[in-house]
Amino acid sequence: MEQAVGEIGTTLDGTSTCRELAAFTARHLRATATVDLLTEPGTAPRRAARATPPETAERPESAELSESAEPSEPSGPKEPAGSSESAELSGPSEPPEPPEPARRTDRSVAGPAGDPAAAPDAPDEHRLAVPLAVHEEEPLGTVTLSRTGGGPFSGDEVALARYAARLAARHLGHARRLAAAEDAALHLQRALVAEPGRPHPNLEIAGGYLPAGPRALVGGDWFETVRLHFGRSLLVVGDVMGHGLDAAVDMNAYRTALREVAATDLPPHRVLRHLDSVVAEDGARRPATVLLVRLDPARGTATFASAGHLPPAVFGADGSAELVDLPVGPPLGTGVGGYEPTTRPLRPGDTLLLFTDGLVERRGEDIDHSLARLAALRLPPDCGPDQVVDQVLHRLGAHGAEDDVAVLAARIRARPPQ
């Protein structure tokens, strides 16, 4: 049983757990093991794993039957079809018995309540069916063991099979709950980042979000746009520390609070101060880095304020990139404050790119080198926001990043000639 603890449930993947259960029971109980899972109530079970005992894994099934019986000398004419198995199993000193109308079997079966299962397919085939369940919980499926010859399953073997099945069921339950939480967090995150507020028509914008990894533990990355008075728009990108559903929930709280504060039309640095004081009073919220940019297309200016966030980049009409130099205050939630604004012109054809650290950060690399790699990019001339987002994500290998990535690009829309 100690070996079962070490060999079953080594990962949080349900399929791997089923394979480990099948391999363990096949090896220790010298039987062919199959694991069938119930996906939804009322549906047919799904075959998740199958394993054979080591000594039979590389032999055809006919060889398994012949080696499990005593060798016998040929005596008399060949037996009729259907009686060869009984002839082999009867031993050399007894004449073969004629086939019976109803085939006699020797079965050892343990179901959910010890009831016999369906009859085995061959004489002297012993079966053991054990539910994948923890105590009184609903079964997640069944592990079925079958072997020909060798005697019925002993009480110790039945106990071991039930213990292994309960152990696997517990790990399968953990894996399913984790998958459900990941799925809920991913849907929440995508719903939030997929529908940012609409800026004024005088701006072209494009955004993108990439969760980290194939199993995507969702983080707290987000971007947002808020309409302000006089044709101005507030651009936001933020990153709540941590991953998972809790980070996504905190991200939603930050986003909601920011919309309310931004509606007062405060300057970006004062918006950060207000958010910092509100979050600092709520000890349950995680800290977050945020970058705010207020774009004024009529004046061709952009005003920045940063709470511990990486600086944005500006791609010129010629495709060259430049990092914006701006003062950086502490992350939100510290209660320290100290946020300062920076204003710079935004020329016609310039595209502003805001991003979270997952876009540029790489394990073991200094952040200055990571930002320099972004600044060294040369994009095709006259790229719009959509092209800038696509090009940057591709060239920096963001699809294989170890952290979530959120990007937001904006460009002042050219006025039509009068």
Side-chain angles (χ1 to χ4, degrees):
M1 292 186 179
E2 292 182 359
Q3 293 184 32
V5 174
E7 296 179 17
I8 299 175
T10 61
T11 70
L12 289 175
D13 180 69
T15 301
S16 297
T17 298
C18 291
R19 291 172 179 168
E20 292 166 351
L21 171 62
F24 176 85
T25 52
R27 184 171 65 256
H28 289 273
L29 300 179
R30 306 181 311 282
T32 298
T34 58
V35 180
D36 298 305
L37 293 182
L38 297 172
T39 53
E40 295 181 2
T43 61
R46 173 181 62 86
R47 178 63 49 84
R50 183 180 186 275
T52 57
E55 64 270 16
T56 62
E58 298 181 358
R59 294 183 300 173
E61 293 183 3
S62 59
E64 296 177 23
L65 282 174
S66 63
E67 291 187 19
S68 65
E70 293 289 335
S72 60
E73 296 293 335
S75 58
K78 186 176 181 180
E79 293 297 328
S83 61
S84 59
E85 291 182 357
S86 59
E88 288 183 331
L89 296 172
S90 61
S93 59
E94 299 179 4
E97 298 179 2
E100 301 179 33
R103 183 163 51 189
R104 177 173 50 83
T105 59
D106 181 10
R107 294 177 288 134
S108 297
V109 179
D115 297 332
D121 297 327
D124 287 343
E125 181 182 9
H126 310 284
R127 281 193 180 182
L128 180 66
V130 181
L132 288 170
V134 179
H135 302 302
E136 301 300 324
E137 296 181 2
E138 286 293 324
L140 303 178
T142 306
V143 55
T144 303
L145 303 165
S146 63
R147 68 187 181 197
T148 301
F153 290 96
S154 67
D156 289 340
E157 289 177 322
V158 172
L160 179 60
R162 286 177 170 169
Y163 177 82
R166 286 197 301 269
L167 181 64
R170 189 175 298 278
H171 287 293
L172 286 171
H174 293 331
R176 290 187 176 185
R177 285 189 288 272
L178 175 63
E182 289 179 356
D183 186 65
L186 183 58
H187 280 80
L188 173 62
Q189 178 78 48
R190 285 177 172 170
L192 292 172
V193 300
E195 296 294 337
R198 296 182 179 179
H200 287 286
N202 53 19
L203 280 185
E204 301 176 60
I205 67 165
Y209 170 73
L210 296 175
R215 289 178 57 85
L217 280 175
V218 178
D221 293 22
W222 89 96
F223 59 85
E224 178 66 282
T225 62
V226 181
R227 284 193 182 198
L228 303 176
H229 298 296
F230 310 113
R232 298 169 301 167
S233 295
L234 185 68
L235 309 183
V236 185
V237 67
D239 184 2
V240 176
M241 296 183 182
H243 293 277
L245 186 58
D246 291 340
V249 170
D250 282 349
M251 176 270 292
N252 188 33
Y254 273 106
R255 189 175 185 177
T256 301
L258 186 141
R259 285 176 174 175
E260 295 175 355
V261 177
T264 63
D265 213 7
L266 291 172
H269 65 291
R270 293 186 59 187
V271 172
L272 291 180
R273 290 177 189 174
H274 186 79
L275 284 176
D276 182 53
S277 62
V278 169
V279 176
E281 294 175 358
D282 184 358
R285 297 295 174 203
R286 305 180 182 200
T289 65
V290 177
L291 175 65
L292 303 183
V293 184
R294 186 175 66 184
L295 287 180
D296 188 343
R299 296 184 179 181
T301 60
T303 301
F304 304 83
S306 174
H309 207 82
L310 295 177
V314 176
F315 287 88
D318 61 352
S320 61
E322 173 191 2
L323 295 177
V324 179
D325 186 16
L326 69 159
V328 179
L332 297 181
T334 62
V336 176
Y339 307 107
E340 300 297 333
T342 296
T343 302
R344 61 161 286 167
L346 204 61
R347 301 180 299 270
D350 285 350
T351 299
L352 181 65
L353 181 71
L354 289 67
F355 54 90
T356 56
D357 54 9
L359 176 67
V360 295
E361 282 189 347
R362 298 295 179 264
R363 186 186 300 272
E365 182 180 65
D366 186 84
I367 188 60
D368 291 334
H369 289 88
S370 304
L371 290 172
R373 188 170 58 252
L374 170 63
L377 292 180
R378 291 297 180 268
L379 305 185
D382 299 320
C383 278
D386 286 306
Q387 292 79 15
V388 168
V389 169
D390 292 341
Q391 288 278 336
V392 170
L393 291 177
H394 173 69
R395 296 198 183 187
L396 294 182
H399 293 274
E402 298 178 353
D403 196 2
D404 302 335
V405 177
V407 294
L408 177 63
R411 181 172 69 176
I412 297 175
R413 192 182 299 274
R415 295 182 180 180
Q418 299 293 334

